[in-house]
Amino acid sequence: MAGTSPAMTITERTKLMITLYHCDGARSFRPLWMLEEMGLAYELKMLPFPPRVFAKEYLAINPLGTIPFMIDGETRMTESSGICYYLGKKYGPTPLVVAEDDPAYGAFLNWMYFSDATLTFPQTLVLRYSQLEPEERRNPQVATDYAKWFLGRLRAVEAATANAETLCAGRFTAADIVIGYALRLASTIGLAKDFGPNVAGYWGRLQQRDGYKRAIAAEQRAGVEQNVMPRVRA
Ligand SMILES: N[C@@H](CCC(=O)N[C@@H](CS)C(=O)NCC(=O)O)C(=O)O
């Protein structure tokens, strides 16, 4: 198991079972991808989307009803990018996390927060008002406005990948995982056609990673095994 201390015994390691609650294609894909990149052992629990409607018993586990939800011993977490950082710090050292004394630390942290607060948030409004709401509550104006807002914010990624393969620190990091998920969601909701050339190339490279492919395979396998079929979500 990569990322754990070599001093740990096998018994100690087997007790370290991380549980991740996930819906197909949802933000919980961020920690799933991180787990795969780090080679950590985990249990993936699939839920139908949205769980607060189709898996009401989940509210007893996570009263918010949102995913991700990660359990690691006494630790409980609900923020997708925060979980990635936690995993890297707790089970590292790993090159996926940029250290405090690295000049790229600030940029790394900025991408970690940017990923959900700035980039994913407008996408969820596009999805909600174009697909998730009942027909009579859909609102093309909101969907169009927030698609534009998302694409405007994506200019930061377009600039960062103009002359670089990854976002920061000259290597692939958790920042690429959390931003990469926002690009996956954008593809799902039909916004990839408006990616700039740098973002399109960057997104293509991310999908070629073995860790990304393993996370996609794990998601599909768990869905089939647990009989939870993909639905629209965000
Ligand atoms: N800021 C949180 C957002 C979590 C979130 O809102 N997840 C969505 C799925 S991508 C969800 O659970 N939606 C269903 C709902 O709100 O009931 C994160 O980054 O994980």
Side-chain angles (χ1 to χ4, degrees):
M1 184 160 51
T4 52
S5 158
M8 277 184 188
T9 66
I10 290 175
T11 317
E12 281 169 334
R13 284 182 206 171
T14 49
K15 281 187 199 155
L16 278 179
M17 182 54 84
I18 296 162
T19 303
L20 179 65
Y21 288 85
H22 177 51
C23 292
D24 188 274
R27 272 174 269 204
S28 31
F29 187 76
R30 285 181 175 129
L32 173 58
W33 187 358
M34 185 79 180
L35 286 162
E36 284 294 341
E37 292 281 354
M38 291 187 74
L40 294 171
Y42 64 91
E43 184 185 8
L44 190 61
K45 295 204 174 184
M46 301 296 290
L47 295 167
F49 187 86
R52 74 188 139 75
V53 176
F54 296 108
K56 289 193 185 342
E57 69 284 2
Y58 175 62
L59 292 170
I61 299 166
N62 173 13
L64 288 175
T66 53
I67 35 94
F69 189 70
M70 188 212 62
I71 304 174
D72 180 25
E74 297 298 306
T75 302
R76 307 275 187 278
M77 292 181 75
T78 59
E79 289 297 316
S80 55
S81 301
I83 298 170
C84 294
Y85 190 69
Y86 166 89
L87 292 171
K89 293 294 276 185
K90 176 123 196 236
Y91 296 107
T94 166
L96 295 171
V97 168
V98 177
E100 288 88 336
D101 59 355
D102 189 308
Y105 178 61
F108 170 75
L109 220 48
N110 206 61
W111 287 120
M112 295 300 288
Y113 284 88
F114 184 90
S115 64
D116 209 68
T118 302
L119 209 50
T120 309
F121 159 69
Q123 293 179 277
T124 61
L125 290 167
V126 176
L127 181 58
R128 176 169 181 181
Y129 287 100
S130 64
Q131 297 179 35
L132 294 182
E133 285 290 335
E135 202 81 53
E136 67 280 6
R137 292 204 74 244
R138 290 189 192 167
N139 188 328
Q141 185 69 59
V142 172
T144 309
D145 286 355
Y146 280 91
K148 278 194 199 137
W149 191 359
F150 165 73
L151 292 165
R153 290 171 169 201
L154 203 53
R155 276 190 228 121
V157 182
E158 183 69 12
T161 52
N163 298 304
E165 295 285 299
T166 57
L167 291 174
C168 61
R171 63 177 191 267
F172 178 85
T173 68
D176 300 295
I177 291 178
V178 295
I179 298 293
Y181 168 71
L183 301 180
R184 183 185 179 201
L185 177 59
S187 300
T188 314
I189 61 177
L191 298 178
K193 60 182 182 340
D194 298 314
F195 285 175
N198 303 332
V199 169
Y202 171 59
W203 172 224
R205 289 192 296 282
L206 291 177
Q207 291 172 87
Q208 293 312 309
R209 286 190 67 83
D210 285 345
Y212 178 85
K213 290 180 187 170
R214 283 197 303 275
I216 292 280
E219 174 180 73
Q220 288 172 350
R221 198 167 49 242
V224 171
E225 282 170 6
Q226 297 170 36
N227 199 23
V228 180
M229 291 308 132
R231 300 174 59 90
V232 260
R233 74 283 155 285

